[in-house]
Each structure stands twice: as C-alpha cells, then as structure tokens.
C-alpha cells in the first residue's frame, strides 16, 4: 500500500511561484508513474501533469504547459510540481497520484491518491 502526502500549497499573488511536493511511502517509489491533478471549487478534478517512473516521459495539460514543471527524485521518494506565472484560475486543491501505468495516472484512474494541498492565487 502506497501512501502519498502533499505539501507546499498556500496563498500566492498572481505571477508568483510555488513548488508542491508529494512524498511517497509504503511502496517501491521508482516503480510508479506519478501525477498531479487539481480540483477547483464547483468543478471536476482535472489532470495537470504526470511523469513516468524513470522521469524520462512527462505529460502536461495544455493550460499549464510552459508554466508548470513536474519532476521526481527517486532517491527521496518525492515528486515535485514547480508552478510559475501562477494565475487566479490555478486556484484549486492539488492532488498527487501514483500508479504503475502512466496512462492510468493521466486518466485519473491511478491506484493511489494523496489528500491534497490547497493553492490559492490572488489577483
């Protein structure tokens, strides 16, 4: 059983940056593709970014391309989401997920999910 714990969320002004972290435990981290989703108030959860277990393949939602970067450190069992040029529409709770299959991560069908960390971008 894999446990995922997100951190790094908070309040930031538009144009600012935040780095989210997701620490994994209870499994073989390097075996899992990892991803980030977000859910804004009153909206459905949506895909943000994903990275393969090697780190060699990444996927991004069009809305964050060029602004967000996903990366992983297998030695620290942690995946990161660097968010730059933040916009008010990026306000949401951000969730980390993990699965052995990258497609499942991207599709939101991953086996494991964290509890989320809130991000608020003020205008």
């Amino acid at each position: 059983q894999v446990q995922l714990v997100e951190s790094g969320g908070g309040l930031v002004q538009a144009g600012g940056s935040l780095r989210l972290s997701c620490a994994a435990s209870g499994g073989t981290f390097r075996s899992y593709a990892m991803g980030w989703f977000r859910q804004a108030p009153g909206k459905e959860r949506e895909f943000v970014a994903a990275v393969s277990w090697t780190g060699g393949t990444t996927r991004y939602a069009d809305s964050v391309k060029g602004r967000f970067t996903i990366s992983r450190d297998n030695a620290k069992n942690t995946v990161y989401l660097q968010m730059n040029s933040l916009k008010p529409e990026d306000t949401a709770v951000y969730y980390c997920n993990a699965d052995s299959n990258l497609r499942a991560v991207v599709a939101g069908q991953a086996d494991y999910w964290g509890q989320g960390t809130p991000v608020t971008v003020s205008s």
Side-chain angles (χ1 to χ4, degrees), residues 14-90:
S17 298
L18 280 176
R19 188 177 80 157
L20 305 182
S21 300
C22 174
S25 61
T28 306
F29 180 75
R30 58 173 52 86
S31 297
Y32 294 97
M34 305 290 296
W36 290 93
F37 272 67
R38 66 186 181 186
Q39 187 167 20
K43 295 187 177 181
E44 293 187 354
R45 191 175 296 188
E46 65 175 1
F47 169 73
V48 176
V51 61
S52 62
W53 69 273
T54 63
T57 300
T58 56
R59 298 284 185 266
Y60 294 95
D62 288 343
S63 59
V64 306
K65 280 181 181 176
R67 300 189 298 123
F68 291 11
T69 303
I70 189 169
S71 62
R72 64 189 296 157
D73 185 337
N74 286 347
K76 296 182 177 179
N77 290 355
T78 302
V79 64
Y80 304 98
L81 186 68
Q82 178 66 44
M83 305 187 295
N84 299 328
S85 301
L86 283 161
K87 305 174 181 179
E89 52 263 44
D90 294 317

